[in-house]
């Protein structure tokens, strides 16, 4: 299965925009790029999914370049409650999602 | 609450005992997944059901682990002769085949501590 690479951790401050980049050099044609968020002692929660170009919802934006070998999750104006682990995954044609270690985002006052 | 429900939320047991976890998925979801998560790691896939059929099992799932979904609704995950290395959060997720994003809905997990 294709793998993704993302930073282990990031720090930010309240009100800033946070961009988390994910590399997926071996992405397959039928793969979608999906991001999940996980708070301590909770299961992961779906944030956003995209195939190419840009996708935006009420929580985040997802930017995907034409070659689809990377993607960037953008969180506008983060707050303390956005402190969580963010996972970048490839989904499509598989019966399961494979999670990596994710990116630990810490938002400071 | 119509989300994925897991029971118990916490379980402390002694090494060698058997434990069973239950998962109730979202009612219209025909796919059900079990994952295991240890501290600082992402969830690891264990097994997957479509309706009552167990379609895939990870090599992580040793012979001491067994999962069932007898009527295609709730599922149980049993661990026999627990070991300290089994201490983890066991997460259940469900999804609906054919949904647009294939989004998995996770429960809050069952935390197992093996003493």
């Amino acid at each position: 299965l294709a793998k993704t690479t993302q930073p282990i951790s990031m720090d930010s401050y309240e009100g800033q925009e946070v961009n988390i980049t994910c590399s997926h050099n071996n992405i397959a044609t039928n793969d979608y790029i999906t991001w999940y968020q996980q708070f301590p002692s909770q299961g992961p929660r779906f944030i956003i999914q995209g195939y190419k170009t840009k996708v935006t919802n009420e929580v985040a934006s997802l930017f995907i370049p034409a070659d689809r070998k990377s993607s960037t999750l953008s969180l506008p104006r983060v707050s303390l409650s956005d402190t969580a682990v963010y996972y970048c995954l490839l989904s499509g044609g598989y019966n399961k999602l494979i999670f990596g270690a994710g990116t630990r985002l810490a938002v400071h006052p | 609450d119509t989300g994925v429900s897991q029971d118990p939320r916490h379980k402390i047991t002694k090494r060698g005992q058997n434990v069973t976890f239950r998962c109730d998925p979202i009612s219209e979801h025909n796919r059900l997944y079990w994952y295991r998560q240890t501290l600082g790691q992402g969830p690891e896939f264990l097994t997957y059901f479509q309706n009552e059929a167990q379609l895939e099992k990870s090599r992580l799932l040793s012979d001491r682990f067994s999962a069932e979904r007898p009527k295609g609704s709730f599922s149980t995950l049993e661990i026999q002769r627990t070991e300290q290395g089994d201490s983890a959060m066991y997460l259940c997720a469900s999804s609906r085949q054919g949904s647009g994003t294939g989004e998995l809905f996770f429960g809050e997990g069952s935390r197992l501590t093996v003493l």
Side-chain angles (χ1 to χ4, degrees):
Chain A
L1 296 174
K3 297 175 72 172
T4 62
T5 303
Q6 50 185 124
I8 294 174
S9 64
M10 295 182 68
D11 288 274
S12 183
Y13 292 90
E14 284 189 292
Q16 289 189 335
E17 178 184 72
V18 171
N19 296 308
I20 306 175
T21 298
C22 179
S23 297
H24 26 80
N25 290 319
N26 297 320
I27 188 169
T29 303
N30 63 344
D31 279 331
Y32 283 75
I33 299 153
T34 309
W35 287 80
Y36 280 74
Q37 174 192 55
Q38 186 176 27
F39 298 113
S41 298
Q42 294 187 22
R45 182 175 72 100
F46 174 92
I47 301 177
I48 196 167
Q49 184 184 77
Y51 186 80
K52 60 181 179 180
T53 64
K54 177 184 174 181
V55 179
T56 297
N57 62 22
E58 65 278 5
V59 176
S61 294
L62 179 59
F63 299 91
I64 305 169
D67 67 4
R68 302 197 334 120
K69 293 184 182 298
S70 66
S71 59
T72 299
L73 175 72
S74 181
L75 304 172
R77 297 179 298 281
V78 294
S79 65
L80 296 177
S81 63
D82 292 315
T83 294
V85 180
Y86 293 83
Y87 299 96
C88 167
L89 305 97
L90 302 180
S91 57
Y94 310 129
N95 293 322
K96 59 183 182 282
L97 295 179
I98 302 299
F99 288 80
T103 297
R104 296 185 174 277
L105 173 65
V107 179
H108 304 282
Chain B
D1 187 347
T2 57
V4 177
S5 176
Q6 294 190 242
D7 183 70
R9 292 292 313 281
H10 303 275
K11 178 71 177 178
I12 301 174
T13 191
K14 293 182 179 179
R15 187 164 50 112
Q17 297 296 305
N18 299 342
V19 296
T20 299
F21 300 114
R22 175 180 169 123
C23 172
D24 287 273
I26 295 171
S27 59
E28 64 267 27
H29 286 185
N30 61 338
R31 290 181 170 179
L32 187 146
Y33 307 77
W34 285 100
Y35 283 80
R36 179 174 66 187
Q37 186 172 27
T38 54
L39 198 61
Q41 301 299 314
E44 297 174 294
F45 171 80
L46 292 179
T47 191
Y48 149 70
F49 291 85
Q50 181 157 307
N51 300 312
E52 66 275 10
Q54 187 174 20
L55 296 187
E56 190 167 351
K57 290 173 60 174
S58 165
R59 282 172 288 182
L60 293 172
L61 217 62
S62 75
D63 291 344
R64 297 184 297 106
F65 288 71
S66 62
E68 295 182 344
R69 195 183 183 197
K71 298 181 180 179
S73 56
F74 75 91
S75 174
T76 57
L77 176 69
E78 181 183 16
I79 309 174
Q80 296 182 326
R81 304 180 304 281
T82 53
E83 302 172 356
Q84 289 184 326
D86 297 331
S87 294
M89 176 76 85
Y90 290 85
L91 293 163
C92 177
S94 69
S95 70
R96 183 167 54 87
Q97 182 182 6
S99 68
T101 63
E103 176 183 351
L104 265 62
F105 293 80
F106 283 85
E108 295 193 328
S110 293
R111 181 170 297 282
L112 173 65
T113 301
V114 181
L115 302 176

